[in-house]
Amino acid sequence: MTQTSGGRASIAARCNEAARRGVRVGLSLAEAQALIDPRVRLRSGDPWVEELSEERDLRALHAVGMWLMSRFSPVVALDPPDGLFLDVAGTERLFGDENDLCRAILGGMHRFGLGARIAVADTVGTAWAVSRFAQTPRTIVDSGGEVAALSDLPVEALRLPDQALADALRELGVERVSQLMDLDRDRVAARFGADVGLRLDQAT
């Protein structure tokens, strides 16, 4: 999936096969195509390339959300461009436990041909962070384990309002959530505004 800006087409999203071949979000289309072995292209043809459509992706996300609502949770919320929140309190017992529920959801996504990552946590902030930045695609965070789950994750995992804020923290050597937790909250608020502390509180 490409996105064109200033006449340059770059990768905005890629399938699992492209990821295995080293294609990364942000590469130019030419760089990405150069990673595909010519023998593969002779056998299978050129890789499929399509321009990103936010409207189409939102419709697809809504469709997945409706499917999840019909199978796994009565409460599903969209988190565009690529996320969904489910309230699974109590519903996990219908599948066995939380691990069984996660396996069922990921299995359904796989059957649809969709890659997915999932996390279960007591807070929305931790679930969002762990689902996107943990090393494994399926994570259950024990109640009260939010701080431990977040500590080694990058500061971007806190849903900061913009990348510039994360970049400013990194310039000071604050790259991990644990490093941010060690700082004086009043000084952080004075320098970076209240959003950093708010996001930390929402996660923990």
Side-chain angles (χ1 to χ4, degrees), residues 18 40 76 90 96 124 169 191:
V40 173
V76 177
V124 166
L169 287 166
R191 180 155 189 172

Side-chain angles (χ1 to χ4, degrees), residues 24-47:
R24 303 187 312 277
V25 172
L27 284 181
S28 72
L29 177 58
E31 290 171 323
Q33 289 177 325
L35 292 171
I36 308 300
D37 191 312
R39 290 170 295 183
V40 173
R41 300 179 77 160
L42 278 173
R43 185 170 61 250
S44 306
D46 287 337

Side-chain angles (χ1 to χ4, degrees), residues 56-191:
R56 183 193 58 220
D57 284 357
L58 185 59
R59 289 198 304 269
L61 190 65
H62 183 267
V64 174
M66 294 299 291
W67 175 76
L68 289 167
M69 187 180 292
S70 71
R71 294 285 305 272
F72 301 104
S73 170
V75 181
V76 177
L78 302 186
D79 181 34
D82 60 0
L84 293 152
F85 289 118
L86 283 73
D87 182 354
V88 298
T91 64
E92 78 283 355
R93 291 192 288 270
L94 301 174
F95 298 87
D97 59 20
E98 289 174 338
N99 273 302
D100 294 326
L101 172 62
C102 290
R103 279 193 288 268
I105 292 173
L106 290 174
M109 294 295 185
H110 180 72
R111 288 191 295 275
F112 289 143
L114 299 173
R117 297 173 59 85
I118 190 168
V120 178
D122 283 354
T123 69
V124 166
T126 292
W128 190 96
V130 172
S131 65
R132 285 162 171 75
F133 292 94
Q135 293 183 349
T136 57
R138 185 180 80 243
T139 308
I140 309 294
V141 179
D142 292 332
S143 184
E146 292 82 13
V147 170
L150 293 166
S151 292
D152 288 335
L153 302 184
V155 291
E156 287 85 354
L158 291 176
R159 298 187 297 158
L160 298 176
D162 58 62
Q163 184 60 41
L165 194 49
D167 292 342
L169 287 166
R170 286 179 175 278
E171 286 177 8
L172 295 179
V174 180
E175 299 183 351
R176 301 284 163 187
V177 174
S178 58
Q179 295 172 299
L180 183 58
M181 290 177 176
D182 290 338
L183 299 179
D184 181 271
R185 291 288 293 272
D186 291 337
R187 290 185 177 181
V188 171
R191 180 155 189 172

